[in-house]
Amino acid sequence: MPSQRAKASKETALLTDAEALNAAVSQLVRVYQFRDRDRICCYDISVTQCYALEALVEHGPSRSQTLADALMLDKSTTTRVVDALVKKGYVVRQAEAEDARALALSVTPEGRALYERINNELVEQQASLIQGLDPEVRRASIEVIRRLARAAQDRFVSGVSVGSCEPSCGTDATRKCG
């Protein structure tokens, strides 16, 4: 059985690594948010609209609620995103074959071409980013990122709460309880 000191040391190391991971992921997300905003908006669509095109290209025609779930947005926000894409000619609403009362969202050929153009450009940027890494390091890095994304999805999105927005104790700067 591990000693208390060894257990405390492992917990300290875990928290140190978690802090370093948080800083690294935060920096990476910020860089990619700006990259996406700057690259995608050149095509007169928002990043969220591009994510919607991506979801529809990858998963095929979808109902609005299914798309909202994929985008992690509420239905009204998704409707505004889709309305803009419809207006630009990148998405159409069509009655579903199985249920004529339901509408399916589909990408138009113009929408698919736009998504492919944007995606190809972003993939080229990724290639230039990782070209100097050894193939084993590239594959291992990709696997780590996939595992972290799955774990984050399971923990933060798929039902396990990230916690309340309420402070756990005092509301002053010291957060003292009691």
Side-chain angles (χ1 to χ4, degrees):
M1 204 156 138
S3 70
Q4 285 295 86
R5 181 175 291 183
K7 186 177 178 182
S9 178
K10 283 185 178 182
E11 288 176 11
T12 300
L14 176 63
L15 290 176
T16 299
D17 289 347
E19 187 174 350
L21 175 63
N22 186 62
V25 169
S26 293
Q27 178 64 25
L28 184 64
V29 167
R30 276 192 298 277
V31 168
Y32 274 82
Q33 284 175 329
F34 287 116
R35 181 216 53 179
D36 288 352
R37 182 205 62 201
D38 293 346
R39 297 304 312 151
I40 293 168
C41 292
C42 292
Y43 294 99
D44 194 34
I45 66 169
S46 70
V47 173
T48 304
Q49 290 167 0
C50 189
Y51 291 158
L53 281 177
E54 176 182 51
L56 293 171
V57 165
E58 289 183 0
H59 303 292
S62 300
R63 289 185 180 187
S64 185
Q65 186 60 56
T66 302
L67 181 60
D69 293 344
L71 297 174
M72 294 181 256
L73 297 173
D74 62 47
K75 194 170 177 186
S76 65
T77 302
T78 302
T79 298
R80 287 191 297 277
V81 168
V82 170
D83 286 346
L85 291 170
V86 167
K87 185 176 180 180
K88 294 175 183 183
Y90 299 134
V91 169
V92 293
R93 290 181 174 100
Q94 298 172 316
E96 286 188 346
E98 309 86 45
D99 182 357
R101 297 170 297 167
L103 294 177
L105 306 168
S106 300
V107 177
T108 64
E110 295 80 11
R112 182 175 299 278
L114 175 64
Y115 169 73
E116 289 173 1
R117 187 169 47 244
I118 292 169
N119 190 58
N120 289 339
E121 195 173 291
L122 297 177
V123 168
E124 285 176 21
Q125 286 183 344
Q126 298 294 32
S128 68
L129 183 69
I130 64 172
Q131 70 184 355
L133 300 175
D134 291 331
E136 299 92 30
V137 172
R138 287 195 309 251
R139 287 188 292 276
S141 299
I142 293 164
E143 181 59 25
V144 166
I145 291 169
R146 283 183 178 143
R147 286 183 184 188
L148 287 170
R150 279 193 303 268
Q153 175 79 22
D154 292 345
R155 168 72 74 176
F156 305 135
V157 179
S158 299
V160 178
S161 175
V162 295
S164 166
C165 290
E166 297 296 319
S168 58
C169 286
T171 57
D172 64 347
T174 63
R175 299 264 198 204
K176 289 184 180 177
C177 296

